[in-house]
Amino acid sequence: APYSGTGSGTGAVSGTVIGSGSSALLPLAQNAAKAFKAKNPNVSVTLNAGGSGTGLKQVADGSVDIGNSDVAAAAKLSSDRASVLVDHKVCVVSMATIVNKDVGDKVKNLTKEQLIDIFTAKTKNWKEVGGPDEPIVLMTRPKTSGTRALFAKYALGGKEEASNAALETDNSGILLKSIEENKGAVGYVALSYLVGNNKDRVSTISIDGTAPTLENTYNGKYPVWGYEHMYTKGEAKGAVKAYLNYIVSSEYSGKMEELGYGVTSKIQSSVTNSRNAEENKSSK
Amino acid sequence: MKNKEQAQAASRRSRTADRFMTGVFYAVAGFFLLLLLAFVAYILINGFRDATPQMLSFTEDGVGNQLFNTLYLVFLALLISVPIGILAGIYLAEYAKDGPLTHFVRICVEALSSLPSIVIGLFGYLVFILMTHSQWNLFAGALAVSLLCLPLITTTTADAFRALPQEYKEGSLALGATHWQSITKMLLPACVPRIMTGVILAAGRGFGEAAALLYTAGMSTDINWSNWNLASPTCALNPFRPGETLALQVWASRTESIASNATQIANFSSAILILLVLLFSLLARLLNRHLDRKATGTES
Amino acid sequence: MTWSSSIRTAAAPQTTQQEKTAAQLADGEEDKTVYGELSGIDHVKVGIENLNLYYESAQDSLHALKNLTMRIASNRITAFIGPSGCGKSTCLKTLNRMNDLVPGCRITGSITIDGQDIYAPDMDVTLLRKRAGMVFQKANPFPMSIYDNIAYGPRIHGTKNKAKLDEIVETSLKAAALWDEVKDRLKKSALGMSGGQQQRLCIARALAVQPEILLMDEPTSALDPISTLKIEDLMDDLRKKYTVVIVTHNMQQAARIADNTAFFLMGHLVEYTNTTAMFNNPTDARTERYITGRFG
Amino acid sequence: MTWSSSIRTAAAPQTTQQEKTAAQLADGEEDKTVYGELSGIDHVKVGIENLNLYYESAQDSLHALKNLTMRIASNRITAFIGPSGCGKSTCLKTLNRMNDLVPGCRITGSITIDGQDIYAPDMDVTLLRKRAGMVFQKANPFPMSIYDNIAYGPRIHGTKNKAKLDEIVETSLKAAALWDEVKDRLKKSALGMSGGQQQRLCIARALAVQPEILLMDEPTSALDPISTLKIEDLMDDLRKKYTVVIVTHNMQQAARIADNTAFFLMGHLVEYTNTTAMFNNPTDARTERYITGRFG
Amino acid sequence: MPRKHFDQELEQLTQRITEMGDAIHERIVSTIRVLRTGDTELARQIAGSDGSIDHMENENEKLCLNLIVSQQPIASDLRTIAGSLKILTDMEREADQCADICEMVAAEGLSDSQSLPLSHIVATLEKVDNMFSGAMDVFLSQDVERAREICQADDEVDALFGKIVLEVCTSIAQNSSHVMRDADLLFIIKYVERMGDHATNIAEWVIYMVTGEHKDLNKGGKIIP
Amino acid sequence: MPRKHFDQELEQLTQRITEMGDAIHERIVSTIRVLRTGDTELARQIAGSDGSIDHMENENEKLCLNLIVSQQPIASDLRTIAGSLKILTDMEREADQCADICEMVAAEGLSDSQSLPLSHIVATLEKVDNMFSGAMDVFLSQDVERAREICQADDEVDALFGKIVLEVCTSIAQNSSHVMRDADLLFIIKYVERMGDHATNIAEWVIYMVTGEHKDLNKGGKIIP
Amino acid sequence: MKGKHKVRKDNAGRIVVTAFGIFMIAITFAIGIFLAYKGLGTFTKYGHSVGEFLFSSHWDPADDFTGGGSVGAAVFIVGSLLTCGLALLIALPGSIASAVFMTEISPRFGERVFQPAAEIFVGIPSVVYGWVGMSVLVPFIRRVFHLQMGYGVLTAAIVLAIMIYPSITTVSADAIRGVSRSCREASYGLGATRWQTIYKTVLPSAKSGIFTGIILGLARAFGEALAVAMVIGQRKAFPVNIFSPTTNLTAAIAADMGGAAEGGEYNTALWTMALLLLLISLLFIFLVHLILGKAEKGK
Ligand SMILES: Nc1ncnc2c1ncn2[C@@H]1O[C@H](COP(=O)(O)OP(=O)(O)OP(=O)(O)O)[C@@H](O)[C@H]1O
Ligand SMILES: Nc1ncnc2c1ncn2[C@@H]1O[C@H](COP(=O)(O)OP(=O)(O)OP(=O)(O)O)[C@@H](O)[C@H]1O
Ligand SMILES: [Mg+2]
Ligand SMILES: [Mg+2]
Ligand SMILES: O=P([O-])([O-])[O-]
């Protein structure tokens, strides 16, 4: 990466930061970049989506400074390529099950089993789970999506979604719009898509009585969450380092929560440990 | 007399059919015209209804930078594809002998022109980004778009050359001009109006292109308008910086953005894009008419 | 024998030849050329010796000119006549090697201009074409101004000087009897001119490179009678300075303007003589039948 | 006075008229038509009375036919001659209302065929065009088989019966002197025929709808002399069954085939008389100047 | 078969000229009768009907000019038409001379229908008639050889002319009482001689029509034997 | 200015015919001298040089035919050429008759150059010469009115012819010793009369050239006064 | 030696121009080779059969480098074919009617209004089509046909139809304009009505040009990604009727290419789809040539 900055901390850095990857992380990264740049006008930050796979590959190739990913590098890269990458768990995201308002008025909570039955297309009508007499419309993300991977793992207990019965949506934005507009629709998005006006467009569903909120994530009650990773090839330096530091700084954490992302450091350590252990296990 | 009556009956039948079909044609044409009108109106109204002046600004909140990127990218793409396209077109029309090679070039050009732009985008990503070990940048985007424009310009040029009467060339050669002189001094100037049209159509294609840019031009832009150091990544004129275009931005704000006014911005950008297309189409027509008049001498 | 009335049938000397069809005549033993007295032939400009021309393609080969030998007189108008496809245009094009542009066109024999072999390997074709200008059936003004049309040739051949070009343009247009009609609109597009004017422009354009020979391929066949007459009047003047060869379908035109006339048939030169003899009393029966319109 | 030699100048009776230019003559007071003796005029097929035709567009209006009155004899060939743009084709097209297709074309006056006003509101234009068939300058066969070309018209007019169509095709081709040449390849594309054959095909096609009148707009101007002669021979036969109106640029053609000839100039009918009188001894000085090629 | 129409018209022209030739031949035969019989009635009739031949000539001339206008004749076609145009003049003169002879006979009668000169004149006129008929045949057959023979035959006529003039003069010298009638005989034999010349001209034009060459093969007016 | 070339050629044709006319006029004048003086030398010379006029006729005929071939003349152009073609015949005949007259003079001499008939013949020939010159003028000027006058003038010649024939006959009747020479006189006056006819024909053709109408305005052969 | 100089320039010109002609081949080849290189891995590296890829509907490639998934792309292929076919069915009558209208019925209006309008249609970014389709058409379809959702084959086909409509229209209009005036005159001259002239003469004569337009339109429809992805529903199952959601090749590529691990089975299978798109393009080109070649032979 073109790099012309020196030093660390705030104020004095200059240079370029280029990132790519996860589309779920992009809004945060962009928001942070904007704030970061306000302080460091000599830094140029450019960020792109492309998907976690792309981000990881590019950072491993060295074509970008930061590779954003919803999943751990080991899931998408061969182990020797993954091993040179340094992980920065910049935040956590929780995935909320969302339904169209007409369902949401009647169905506020589902058990994990119900959820699994719905997403594997065993349950086909909302009335089976106490909702209106409407067929269930599944809306999912592509198989390569990090959001989908997390949701499948922690909400559906690793069960495969019924792709052939679901409508797949490339992007969370469009998925949200689809759920909003289609009766009986159910799907999932990161909480970050449910801030501001978006909150009222759809209804969220509690799982086993736990509502998908940041608090429930921090305290470990709500299991459907994951880290968002920003990988660098080797240790971060200069502007990149400053940028990464800025994201995880307390200065920015308020803003982060406003955007619907969870601050990594706020997660209770027990929760962190068990999740880390799980991830290490699954990546091996 | 029976014959005559028969003829009259047949004539009555065919006239009825004629009137009916004329009605059908009017209806269909009217329908599509209305559809287009509604389409354009919808986009424009949607776009400008909630627009704020700030949206035009050259900041993160406006689409000024994207607009600039769009124009700049298309400009770069044309800079690359116009000369190549014209030269290749000249080859096809003037030098290619009627043989397998020529046939092959022709098929290649046509294949290129009917290639899905997403495929071009992927190719561009691999070759212009990965193989050059660079990052998303405008120039890579321009190269990808120029791949899209290239066949268009090539075929327009070749067609324009072929459409010229054979007599022009014969006339020139018979005056002792070489083939190359004939091309540069006579045929090419005579083709300018038609090539122009092709170029403008190609530009229109560049404006609207998103799929080919997803993986090449990048989806963010960061311009410092006070920085004119060409090597700097924030310099507007540095082609080797990422540059989100309007179409890409529409795509991005429709899909991923969590900004609260993302939809309005997207609508606004769409409207701007449509205006651009309209403008260019108009420009092409005016230019063409002007050149045509000049060439045919109908201008008084 | 398709055409004859009883008088004609009896016309004694030709009787036997008339019995054959044109094809038999052309392909048969009788392919010797009848040469009559030629006007101005003591000054030969172009010499064609045993010229054979073939159009060859992957599938087949066409023998388009068969053993052609003729001399073209300097400062005379020579007309080529003959039915469609007989090789008139082909023969005309060999004279400034425009046939080089036709793929698969092969030549044997020799053509000389002022004694110089124009198919010699070291011949500069562009200079040859400068010496032997060409005017085509369909007027082909370039899509540029009248001035630029005329100046095109001189510019190609290296004249850059504006004053010089102005002079050439004026002289050429005057020589083509067009100056008065266009002098006030030299900068206007040539495409806005009438058909007859366009053809005279093409003649002027050919004159602008100072050729010695003017080759014209049916230059008036697309024009109305009045424009045709104007161009014929013009050609009559051109004869003074140039050697003119013209292909024409119009027998009367040949009779009006040409000094010598050559009649072609299926690639053969059947008869070549002065125009008066050709049209009043041709020697070969095929010539007679063609010019009196009784062919086919 | 541009053209005359000393003899011509002295030619007493025309002297004053010759002094004026054509334009003066055409626009001036002198726009009365000279009518001579007409061949076969006791059977009138077409009557044109005080016809005026305007081409109107947003910018301007062109008075293309000026107060035209003429009667066209049945079973005769009537030729329209005149310089380019004088309104010959326009006049021809009014006879089967092909000018309806031209936007901005306006007509006053009347045209009758067999006494019936063809511009009457209740006139069936398709039937009119069936009665007055048209043949154009450039042969325009449809890109289909020879058979389908001929059968096109009858089919349009409701004939479906195969045997009937076969018969019509044969009769029409025979009438156009084409049957023998094409009878073995009726199913082949008409585009593969020679120019002269194509034009005869177009004539056959026009005959296939059993017209009463044949309108021909320079039907041979794109053909070589031999094909032209064939078509002229054909027209001579057609006269027996049809009323033929032909536009031609070729004075000799008019002289050869027409019974009556009309000379147009800038929208005026200048002279209308039998062909012999027209070409041997025209009355109007403008006619004389035009047919002797001294116009412009 | 192009130029079918033209060929028809040419044939028509030939036919009309032949018809005119037949009509003239008839008049020559009648004139011979007049000279033989001194039939003034017949003579008056022939002299008065010369207009019909003139009319024929006029019509055929028009036909020729029309053919030139409409058919743009060239080469042999033009020679045929131009030759016809010329031949028509000579033919008309043949008829004219007949009319002139008959007019004289009608006005003055014949001096002595059994006189030697007159019978010689008749014999000459018969020869001339043969020449004329021959010329018309040759016009149809375009036989150049025969045409040449006809031209040669005029020499005999010229010789006869000289002889008859001598005879007439001798007869006048012997008896100058009918000078006026004898002078008429002189004029008649002169006319007959001219008729031979005209027949020769016709044959010459036929040769021109075929070969394109027009030579005076027998210069007329060699009145000196 | 289209047909410039054609107009030039037409002018050339007219000029050549006029030149030929001048040459013929000269011969007529010479013939008059011969008749006046009985100059056999001059007579022989004129009789011998007829070929040059024939040659001119031939050339001009060719020119006409060439113009027809190349220029497709129509209407007045064609009338000019066709008329010229016809006029040439008559002109040639004028020269022919002069030659014939001179030939006779050369062969036999003149009986009595001071005789009344002879002086009348000379006067007639002068009249004919005037007619001929007039016809040639008219050919140039295309003046129809004058052409008609010329045709009328032939009546006088015809009248003179009748008168002279009477005179000659009377003189023969009185003295039949020079019958042969007197017969020559008869032939000469006949020739002169014919010359008047030919001049008339020329004028008639001029009228045709201008108006397109060809009428016999003075039917030749009215030898009976 | 002016002449020599000219000749040298002439040669240089020819060489340069030829080089660029060959450059076009190079690019196309580069793209082809690159796609083949990326896409053939499905068959070589991961050992799937072409038959499986084309005819199996079981799509479950593994997003890793070991493989073992299934790569049956039949659903995508069928989705592409179905939407394009339907789009053509919808667009074609309208296109031809419009082309006829703008050339035969009202040429002036056609030239002044219709042609530019069609050009604007072509210029509208496909993203915009997709978005408008999603915001307007999807609810519309849902309401009109009383569906639960508006996504599906029909919706995608309509969006595609609108997208290809201008291309087919303009190419057809060009073809119809190319029919010589004289052909029309001949027909009118025989007493044919306008409609008879159009369907008996003009359309048959313009046939090959219209086919070309159709195929170019189809090629565009096949290659369109973003707009279709937004409205087709992207359900990885065969549609049961024209209202069912399904998915297609381009949507799949656009959706998953970025997320899939580079070089993994999933990723490679997507490249194979891209390769298939290229091959389909080539097939279309081949068809155009066949048609035009035939038309030329006819003449
Ligand atoms: N480029 C070519 N390739 C093959 N054959 C050709 C070519 N040009 C002409 N010919 C053939 O050569 C022969 C002579 O053609 P050419 O054009 O010289 O005839 P032409 O006498 O000029 O006829 P026209 O009067 O129709 O112009 C024809 O049979 C023609 O088909
Ligand atoms: N469709 C039209 N719109 C406007 N003006 C026209 C139209 N058609 C013909 N004219 C004009 O009407 C006049 C007569 O044209 P027309 O075609 O009848 O002439 P023409 O005598 O047939 O000439 P040509 O010999 O060139 O065919 C011309 O001035 C022409 O420019
Ligand atoms: Mg040619
Ligand atoms: Mg008399
Ligand atoms: O009739 P002629 O005067 O020529 O004898």
mmCIF file of all heavy atoms in Angstrom, chain D residues 55 62 64 83-90 102 218 249, ligand 2:
data_model
loop_
_atom_site.group_PDB
_atom_site.id
_atom_site.type_symbol
_atom_site.label_atom_id
_atom_site.label_comp_id
_atom_site.label_asym_id
_atom_site.label_seq_id
_atom_site.Cartn_x
_atom_site.Cartn_y
_atom_site.Cartn_z
ATOM 1 N N TYR D 55 -46.712 21.016 -53.232
ATOM 2 C CA TYR D 55 -46.025 20.308 -52.151
ATOM 3 C C TYR D 55 -45.841 21.309 -51.033
ATOM 4 O O TYR D 55 -45.109 22.287 -51.194
ATOM 5 C CB TYR D 55 -44.654 19.807 -52.597
ATOM 6 C CG TYR D 55 -44.701 18.634 -53.555
ATOM 7 C CD1 TYR D 55 -44.214 18.746 -54.848
ATOM 8 C CD2 TYR D 55 -45.213 17.410 -53.146
ATOM 9 C CE1 TYR D 55 -44.241 17.674 -55.725
ATOM 10 C CE2 TYR D 55 -45.239 16.323 -54.017
ATOM 11 C CZ TYR D 55 -44.759 16.469 -55.298
ATOM 12 O OH TYR D 55 -44.775 15.403 -56.156
ATOM 13 N N LEU D 62 -44.480 24.495 -52.739
ATOM 14 C CA LEU D 62 -44.017 24.435 -54.120
ATOM 15 C C LEU D 62 -45.200 24.143 -55.026
ATOM 16 O O LEU D 62 -45.931 23.177 -54.828
ATOM 17 C CB LEU D 62 -42.971 23.340 -54.267
ATOM 18 C CG LEU D 62 -42.408 23.167 -55.665
ATOM 19 C CD1 LEU D 62 -41.325 24.186 -55.919
ATOM 20 C CD2 LEU D 62 -41.876 21.764 -55.863
ATOM 21 N N ALA D 64 -46.159 22.597 -57.897
ATOM 22 C CA ALA D 64 -45.459 21.654 -58.776
ATOM 23 C C ALA D 64 -46.191 21.389 -60.082
ATOM 24 O O ALA D 64 -45.568 21.055 -61.085
ATOM 25 C CB ALA D 64 -45.208 20.334 -58.038
ATOM 26 N N PRO D 83 -37.601 18.734 -68.809
ATOM 27 C CA PRO D 83 -36.371 18.718 -68.022
ATOM 28 C C PRO D 83 -36.622 18.218 -66.608
ATOM 29 O O PRO D 83 -37.749 18.180 -66.139
ATOM 30 C CB PRO D 83 -35.916 20.178 -68.016
ATOM 31 C CG PRO D 83 -37.116 20.969 -68.355
ATOM 32 C CD PRO D 83 -37.988 20.097 -69.191
ATOM 33 N N SER D 84 -35.526 17.843 -65.955
ATOM 34 C CA SER D 84 -35.601 17.314 -64.598
ATOM 35 C C SER D 84 -36.333 18.293 -63.685
ATOM 36 O O SER D 84 -36.081 19.491 -63.718
ATOM 37 C CB SER D 84 -34.179 17.090 -64.097
ATOM 38 O OG SER D 84 -34.189 16.251 -63.002
ATOM 39 N N GLY D 85 -37.246 17.773 -62.895
ATOM 40 C CA GLY D 85 -37.944 18.599 -61.923
ATOM 41 C C GLY D 85 -39.121 19.370 -62.467
ATOM 42 O O GLY D 85 -39.702 20.205 -61.785
ATOM 43 N N CYS D 86 -39.520 19.091 -63.702
ATOM 44 C CA CYS D 86 -40.602 19.864 -64.303
ATOM 45 C C CYS D 86 -41.965 19.368 -63.863
ATOM 46 O O CYS D 86 -42.974 20.002 -64.125
ATOM 47 C CB CYS D 86 -40.511 19.815 -65.815
ATOM 48 S SG CYS D 86 -40.808 18.155 -66.455
ATOM 49 N N GLY D 87 -42.022 18.212 -63.230
ATOM 50 C CA GLY D 87 -43.300 17.737 -62.721
ATOM 51 C C GLY D 87 -43.854 16.517 -63.437
ATOM 52 O O GLY D 87 -45.000 16.146 -63.209
ATOM 53 N N LYS D 88 -43.038 15.874 -64.264
ATOM 54 C CA LYS D 88 -43.518 14.698 -64.993
ATOM 55 C C LYS D 88 -43.948 13.597 -64.036
ATOM 56 O O LYS D 88 -45.077 13.093 -64.108
ATOM 57 C CB LYS D 88 -42.408 14.139 -65.894
ATOM 58 C CG LYS D 88 -41.799 15.123 -66.849
ATOM 59 C CD LYS D 88 -40.684 14.485 -67.664
ATOM 60 C CE LYS D 88 -39.489 14.024 -66.848
ATOM 61 N NZ LYS D 88 -38.696 15.118 -66.280
ATOM 62 N N SER D 89 -43.036 13.233 -63.140
ATOM 63 C CA SER D 89 -43.348 12.142 -62.221
ATOM 64 C C SER D 89 -44.514 12.514 -61.331
ATOM 65 O O SER D 89 -45.379 11.693 -61.045
ATOM 66 C CB SER D 89 -42.132 11.827 -61.347
ATOM 67 O OG SER D 89 -41.027 11.562 -62.144
ATOM 68 N N THR D 90 -44.520 13.744 -60.898
ATOM 69 C CA THR D 90 -45.614 14.211 -60.053
ATOM 70 C C THR D 90 -46.940 14.021 -60.765
ATOM 71 O O THR D 90 -47.904 13.490 -60.202
ATOM 72 C CB THR D 90 -45.397 15.691 -59.719
ATOM 73 O OG1 THR D 90 -44.160 15.824 -59.034
ATOM 74 C CG2 THR D 90 -46.516 16.218 -58.845
ATOM 75 N N VAL D 102 -47.380 11.135 -50.176
ATOM 76 C CA VAL D 102 -46.447 12.229 -49.889
ATOM 77 C C VAL D 102 -47.106 13.198 -48.909
ATOM 78 O O VAL D 102 -48.147 13.784 -49.219
ATOM 79 C CB VAL D 102 -46.085 12.982 -51.184
ATOM 80 C CG1 VAL D 102 -45.147 14.127 -50.889
ATOM 81 C CG2 VAL D 102 -45.488 12.023 -52.188
ATOM 82 N N GLU D 218 -39.976 6.496 -66.208
ATOM 83 C CA GLU D 218 -38.630 6.214 -66.735
ATOM 84 C C GLU D 218 -38.257 4.744 -66.584
ATOM 85 O O GLU D 218 -37.246 4.416 -65.966
ATOM 86 C CB GLU D 218 -37.591 7.082 -66.013
ATOM 87 C CG GLU D 218 -37.963 8.550 -66.069
ATOM 88 C CD GLU D 218 -36.790 9.437 -65.710
ATOM 89 O OE1 GLU D 218 -35.653 9.041 -65.952
ATOM 90 O OE2 GLU D 218 -37.036 10.536 -65.215
ATOM 91 N N HIS D 249 -36.854 10.434 -70.186
ATOM 92 C CA HIS D 249 -35.865 11.461 -70.430
ATOM 93 C C HIS D 249 -35.314 11.337 -71.830
ATOM 94 O O HIS D 249 -34.609 12.206 -72.313
ATOM 95 C CB HIS D 249 -34.700 11.273 -69.454
ATOM 96 C CG HIS D 249 -34.669 12.315 -68.400
ATOM 97 N ND1 HIS D 249 -34.542 12.019 -67.079
ATOM 98 C CD2 HIS D 249 -34.773 13.653 -68.469
ATOM 99 C CE1 HIS D 249 -34.563 13.129 -66.385
ATOM 100 N NE2 HIS D 249 -34.698 14.129 -67.204
HETATM 101 N N1 LIG H 2 -42.190 14.681 -52.116
HETATM 102 C C1 LIG H 2 -41.902 15.909 -52.529
HETATM 103 N N2 LIG H 2 -41.901 16.942 -51.657
HETATM 104 C C2 LIG H 2 -41.593 18.178 -52.063
HETATM 105 N N3 LIG H 2 -41.275 18.504 -53.327
HETATM 106 C C3 LIG H 2 -41.273 17.515 -54.248
HETATM 107 C C4 LIG H 2 -41.575 16.168 -53.894
HETATM 108 N N4 LIG H 2 -41.478 15.407 -55.001
HETATM 109 C C5 LIG H 2 -41.118 16.234 -55.999
HETATM 110 N N5 LIG H 2 -41.008 17.507 -55.561
HETATM 111 C C6 LIG H 2 -40.665 18.685 -56.350
HETATM 112 O O1 LIG H 2 -41.634 18.843 -57.349
HETATM 113 C C7 LIG H 2 -41.052 19.206 -58.577
HETATM 114 C C8 LIG H 2 -41.438 18.224 -59.632
HETATM 115 O O2 LIG H 2 -40.861 16.975 -59.312
HETATM 116 P P1 LIG H 2 -41.004 15.697 -60.203
HETATM 117 O O3 LIG H 2 -40.388 14.566 -59.462
HETATM 118 O O4 LIG H 2 -42.392 15.542 -60.623
HETATM 119 O O5 LIG H 2 -40.117 16.067 -61.439
HETATM 120 P P2 LIG H 2 -39.758 15.211 -62.716
HETATM 121 O O6 LIG H 2 -40.199 15.986 -63.850
HETATM 122 O O7 LIG H 2 -40.287 13.835 -62.588
HETATM 123 O O8 LIG H 2 -38.194 15.204 -62.652
HETATM 124 P P3 LIG H 2 -37.172 14.031 -62.907
HETATM 125 O O9 LIG H 2 -36.980 13.983 -64.354
HETATM 126 O O10 LIG H 2 -35.946 14.484 -62.188
HETATM 127 O O11 LIG H 2 -37.772 12.784 -62.354
HETATM 128 C C9 LIG H 2 -39.570 19.294 -58.327
HETATM 129 O O12 LIG H 2 -39.214 20.621 -58.117
HETATM 130 C C10 LIG H 2 -39.354 18.507 -57.071
HETATM 131 O O13 LIG H 2 -38.285 19.030 -56.330
#
